[in-house]
Amino acid sequence: MPKKNNPKKMRSLTVLTPENYFQFECHQNLDCFTRCCRNITIFLTPYDILRMKNGLNILSEDFLADYTMTMIGDTGLPVVVLKMRNDAEKSCPFVTSRGCTIYPHRPWSCRIYPLQPESTKITEKAGKEYYSVLDVPFCLGLEADRVLTLSEWIEEQGIAIYQEMEAPFKTITTNESLMKNKITNKKIQEMFYMACFDSDRFRRFVMESTFLDRFEVEPEVVEKIKEDDVELYHFAIRWLEYGLLGQHALKVKTDVIEAKKQELKIK
Ligand code: SF4
Ligand code: SF4
């Protein structure tokens, strides 16, 4: 049985556990409808981009060129942000008076709203999730009578798959060694950008370059990544674990190593 709390008090400074209640309901009859889809910064995860570009039925490079901006984060790795329209309200490119035109494919940030994560590395390690309710003065949904638990919200908004997909990406971007030694090498930044965000270009890179001649990749994985974007994403993570973190997630072919030794005259 979920713990009862007072949802009226569940605002920004209150941390919610999965069983705690908060109050919220969003619908198009509210005066604030779509007001939250303007002048906002939405960081996009690789899975956000994968879902959005597939929902729009376009290639990743076209999605990135038309709808995003790229910046360099604290670790030196690129971060991708949804580009707002150049109108007076700086509105989201996908908002209309009838609502979100990509609703089934909307990014994680739009799903989790009006909540925000409050987890730390320690709570995450312990497998605990905490969130707080954003205090947005214009959001009338926060005044609604509807009460639901954090768990119910996560389920209703289809958030679990986004969390599952983000986990390996987060492991890379929060890696301690990367945090300490900021990446400034442009080639590495570009490699990370392509693998994480520009999946269709990454697929061509794997399938059409000498990549498969150089690395041992399981034949069933090669078959899957030809078509399946989620498999390709997992493969991209393996490549980054190998290339960025020095982990044994991929293996160079023996004949390639031997040829390199010959070239360098190493016995
Ligand atoms: S209720 Fe809140 S989330 Fe819904 S449209 Fe209004 S401002 Fe946006
Ligand atoms: S993607 Fe959809 S829900 Fe998110 S800000 Fe844009 S219009 Fe709003």
Side-chain angles (χ1 to χ4, degrees):
M1 182 78 180
K3 280 181 212 154
K4 283 277 179 195
N5 56 298
N6 182 355
K8 297 258 178 208
K9 289 183 182 161
M10 286 288 147
R11 286 300 174 91
S12 55
L13 295 177
T14 309
V15 174
L16 300 180
T17 67
E19 313 80 47
N20 283 149
Y21 288 93
F22 69 105
Q23 60 180 117
F24 184 67
E25 187 168 26
C26 173
H27 54 84
Q28 57 185 8
N29 297 329
L30 293 169
D31 285 347
C32 59
F33 187 57
T34 73
R35 199 168 152 191
C36 49
C37 301
R38 302 170 203 166
N39 199 13
I40 34 168
T41 304
I42 296 181
F43 289 95
L44 297 175
T45 67
Y47 189 65
D48 283 333
I49 294 175
L50 190 159
R51 288 283 297 264
M52 290 165 94
K53 66 107 184 164
N54 285 344
L56 293 164
N57 201 19
I58 59 177
L59 291 173
S60 56
E61 52 256 58
D62 295 330
F63 177 83
L64 291 165
D66 293 346
Y67 299 113
T68 70
M69 293 187 313
T70 304
M71 297 181 283
I72 296 297
D74 293 344
T75 54
L77 294 172
V79 289
V80 174
V81 174
L82 189 61
K83 185 165 64 184
M84 296 292 122
R85 280 191 199 122
N86 200 12
D87 56 17
E89 295 175 318
K90 294 189 173 37
S91 37
C92 172
F94 304 112
V95 72
T96 68
S97 56
R98 293 176 312 285
C100 176
T101 53
I102 55 157
Y103 192 76
H105 314 290
R106 68 200 183 286
W108 174 88
S109 305
C110 307
R111 290 170 191 265
I112 199 71
Y113 181 93
L115 305 179
Q116 66 179 354
E118 294 290 352
S119 302
T120 63
K121 272 192 177 170
I122 297 169
T123 58
E124 277 171 19
K125 257 190 186 168
K128 307 265 185 206
E129 283 175 20
Y130 297 104
Y131 290 82
S132 63
V133 184
L134 286 165
D135 198 0
V136 183
F138 62 77
C139 178
L140 300 173
L142 294 167
E143 307 299 329
D145 290 333
R146 184 183 183 225
V147 252
L148 71 170
T149 62
L150 168 59
S151 294
E152 286 164 345
W153 184 246
I154 301 266
E155 164 128 25
E156 185 181 290
Q157 294 295 308
I159 287 164
I161 183 69
Y162 284 78
Q163 290 172 325
E164 185 190 323
M165 289 293 158
E166 203 200 345
F169 174 68
K170 214 168 159 187
T171 305
I172 293 177
T173 54
T174 56
N175 177 274
E176 272 182 26
S177 151
L178 287 187
M179 307 273 273
K180 273 190 213 143
N181 310 299
K182 185 170 174 165
I183 290 171
T184 52
N185 183 314
K186 294 247 177 306
K187 274 194 177 164
I188 296 177
Q189 290 170 339
E190 171 55 24
M191 172 184 97
F192 177 87
Y193 178 83
M194 175 177 69
C196 291
F197 306 117
D198 200 351
S199 53
D200 292 304
R201 189 157 63 94
F202 179 62
R203 176 179 282 118
R204 292 198 299 277
F205 168 71
V206 173
M207 304 308 297
E208 296 171 19
S209 72
T210 56
F211 190 101
L212 295 174
D213 298 328
R214 290 182 286 126
F215 290 99
E216 280 181 16
V217 185
E218 304 82 348
E220 61 276 17
V221 172
V222 176
E223 276 313 301
K224 282 184 189 164
I225 63 178
K226 283 181 187 168
E227 303 283 337
D228 188 329
D229 280 353
V230 170
E231 287 291 337
L232 183 68
Y233 167 64
H234 288 305
F235 186 71
I237 294 288
R238 273 176 72 187
W239 188 53
L240 292 173
E241 285 168 350
Y242 167 84
L244 268 185
L245 308 184
Q247 296 175 355
H248 299 291
L250 276 181
K251 207 169 160 204
V252 178
K253 286 186 173 175
T254 317
D255 57 331
V256 174
I257 297 173
E258 288 307 319
K260 196 71 191 168
K261 281 184 181 169
Q262 294 278 334
E263 190 189 316
L264 299 171
K265 302 203 185 325
I266 300 170
K267 281 194 184 164

